[in-house]
Every structure is written in C-alpha cells, then in structure tokens.
Amino acid sequence: MLPTTNSNGALASRDAARHTAGAKRYKYLRRLLHFRQMDFEFALWQMLYLFTSPQRVYRNFQYRKQTKDQWARDDPAFLVLLSIWLCVSTIGFGLVLEMGVVETLKLLLWVVFVDCIGVGLLISTIMWVVTNRYLLKQPSRNFDVEWGYAFDVHLNAFYPLLVILHFLQLFFINHLVMISSDWFLGYFVGNTLWLIAIGYYLYITFLGYNALPFLKNTVVLLYPFALLGLLYILSISLGWNFTRGLCSFYKYRVMQERLASEIGH
C-alpha cells in the first residue's frame, strides 16, 4: 500500500500546485479591475530604480519568492503605469510627427497591442522555453522559470527602452535627428539613443535571469552586446538613421489605408 499512497500523494501535491498557480493568476487579473488594491507607489519606486540601480529591483523579486512563494509580480500596478507611459509617449510621437487624431489613435493601438503586448508575449515565451530547456542547473519540477516572471523581466527591460526612444528622443526628432537626418550629427544622436536603449534592455534582461539561483551560464544573455556594438559602428559608418526609419514605419502603419484609398480613387 505504501507505493499507492506515495503515488496518490504526489498526484495530490501536483494538483495543489496547479491550483495555487491558477489562483495566483486569477488574483493578478482580478486586481486589474481594482485600482485601490494596487501599490502604485512601489511600482513607481521600481521604475525609478530600473534606471539607477536595477539590481535592487530584482532583489525585491527574491524577497517575494521567500514571502509569497513566487517570482512573478502579484500586483499589476507596474503594468498599468507602463501602459499609461506608453499611451502618453505615443500621443507625443503622434504630435511630433504631425498625425491627425485618427492616425494617432491607430498608432496607439499598434504600439500597445503589437509592439508592447504582442512582441512581449513572444519574447517572454521564447526566453521561458530557452531558460528552462538550456540554462537550468538541475532540471526539476521544483526549480523552473515561471512564465509570469519571464514576462515581468521583459516589462522591466522594456520600460527604460520606452522612456529613451519614446520620450527623450522626442526632444531631438524635429530639431536634430530628422531635419539633419543626412548629417553625421543627426544620425549619430539618433543611433546613440538606440544603442543606449537596446543596451539597457539587454542588461536588465540579463540581471533578471541572473537573479535566479537555479540558472547557469546566464552570461550568454550578454553576448548580443557584441552584435549591437558592431551594428552601431556599421550604422554610423554607412549613415543609417534608425530614428528616421522608425518614424517612416510608424507613418506607413497608420496611413497605409489612406494611401490605398487615394490610389483607388
């Protein structure tokens, strides 16, 4: 009877674990509709330290694992604030690029649901699969990377990139980067901002997975820095302007329907 008891106990423990994970997801989604339950002050603290000391942010994730037995956030306040930042900065982009209300709304929907959420889900899933398959020290059901944590790492890394490319860059687009797009100073400033933004994304992503004690060889997540540096030098040498390409892409996204109708007439 002992093997049967152990087997039933193992099944019961797995069912309990699945129930607990489902309950945590339900609690997280339910909190999205209850703003009073969100800790926006703490989320703002995290946003500040993602620029000044991102290690402290991930130290808090370790405390959460010790107290709440999960690595991922249980409070959607950070996601809500990030969405607000995304909306405000995208509206600013629409104003700078002299888009109409309809075009700006289309751009906002593209940026929120495709660039942030869609791409974020894809990157998080890829990193979740890669880390659990190749970077675990000892593959086990008790030690694995939570998908929610992988998504949190993406959000943490995406926030500085958003501030640099969608906020700080707005002050340079019309007066320097776009007007002087064919001059060295124009594409140097624009491409340098891209270098800093993507570099921040890679570094904060590395810190996120390096904070997990059951992962190994996380330094491989820093290898893309070599490709990033090479691409930056190549772009400066050849006069590529990444910001002009981004603005052209944004305009093409929201104005392609208008262009198609004009061609039809």
Side-chain angles (χ1 to χ4, degrees):
M1 295 297 292
L2 286 177
T4 304
T5 303
N6 290 338
S7 176
N8 292 337
L11 291 175
S13 64
R14 292 178 188 176
D15 291 339
R18 285 195 293 268
H19 175 73
T20 301
K24 291 176 180 178
R25 285 194 297 270
Y26 173 75
K27 180 180 179 181
Y28 183 91
L29 295 174
R30 185 182 62 183
R31 275 189 165 185
L32 282 172
L33 304 177
H34 298 83
F35 285 87
R36 293 183 179 180
Q37 298 181 9
M38 300 185 198
D39 191 350
F40 290 106
E41 183 178 353
F42 182 65
L44 287 172
W45 174 88
Q46 290 182 318
M47 289 182 167
L48 173 63
Y49 276 96
L50 282 172
F51 277 100
T52 59
S53 182
Q55 297 90 340
R56 295 188 62 177
V57 176
Y58 286 116
R59 199 173 301 135
N60 175 262
F61 278 78
Q62 295 174 339
Y63 296 154
R64 183 182 298 109
K65 175 62 177 178
Q66 296 172 2
T67 58
K68 299 183 179 181
D69 194 29
Q70 70 178 67
W71 289 95
R73 289 187 176 97
D74 61 343
D75 185 350
F78 188 93
L79 178 61
V80 172
L81 291 180
L82 178 63
S83 301
I84 294 174
W85 259 104
L86 194 60
C87 292
V88 172
S89 63
T90 303
I91 293 173
F93 238 100
L95 294 175
V96 169
L97 298 180
E98 299 180 348
M99 296 181 180
V101 175
V102 176
E103 285 79 11
T104 302
L105 180 59
K106 289 180 181 179
L107 177 63
L108 178 62
L109 295 176
W110 269 101
V111 171
V112 171
F113 291 103
V114 178
D115 295 349
C116 182
I117 298 179
V119 175
L121 293 175
L122 177 62
I123 293 177
S124 302
T125 302
I126 292 174
M127 294 301 298
W128 174 65
V129 171
V130 170
T131 52
N132 281 316
R133 181 167 297 184
Y134 301 107
L135 299 184
L136 288 180
K137 292 180 180 178
Q138 296 179 349
S140 169
R141 294 181 181 272
N142 298 323
F143 297 99
D144 62 350
V145 179
E146 303 169 9
W147 186 92
Y149 181 78
F151 188 65
D152 281 338
V153 170
H154 166 74
L155 294 181
N156 291 343
F158 183 78
Y159 171 68
L161 182 146
L162 169 68
V163 172
I164 294 171
L165 295 183
H166 264 231
F167 180 71
L168 295 180
Q169 192 169 219
L170 292 180
F171 297 98
F172 300 96
I173 287 182
N174 282 341
H175 300 289
L176 181 61
V177 178
M178 293 299 292
I179 292 178
S180 307
S181 59
D182 294 326
W183 294 0
F184 172 79
L185 184 60
Y187 56 76
F188 173 77
V189 172
N191 292 3
T192 300
L193 290 174
W194 277 84
L195 174 69
I196 296 172
I198 298 177
Y200 251 115
Y201 185 93
L202 295 176
Y203 178 63
I204 293 179
T205 298
F206 160 74
L207 291 178
Y209 293 102
N210 191 57
L212 301 179
F214 49 83
L215 293 184
K216 63 181 179 179
N217 300 327
T218 53
V219 69
V220 299
L221 300 178
L222 295 177
Y223 288 175
F225 267 104
L227 179 61
L228 177 64
L230 178 62
L231 184 61
Y232 173 73
I233 295 173
L234 188 63
S235 68
I236 296 298
S237 303
L238 299 178
W240 297 342
N241 191 319
F242 294 144
T243 302
R244 181 173 61 180
L246 176 68
C247 293
S248 299
F249 179 63
Y250 277 171
K251 288 183 177 180
Y252 171 77
R253 270 181 169 180
V254 300
M255 296 182 178
Q256 55 183 336
E257 294 181 4
R258 177 191 295 180
L259 293 175
S261 62
E262 290 178 355
I263 294 174
H265 291 297

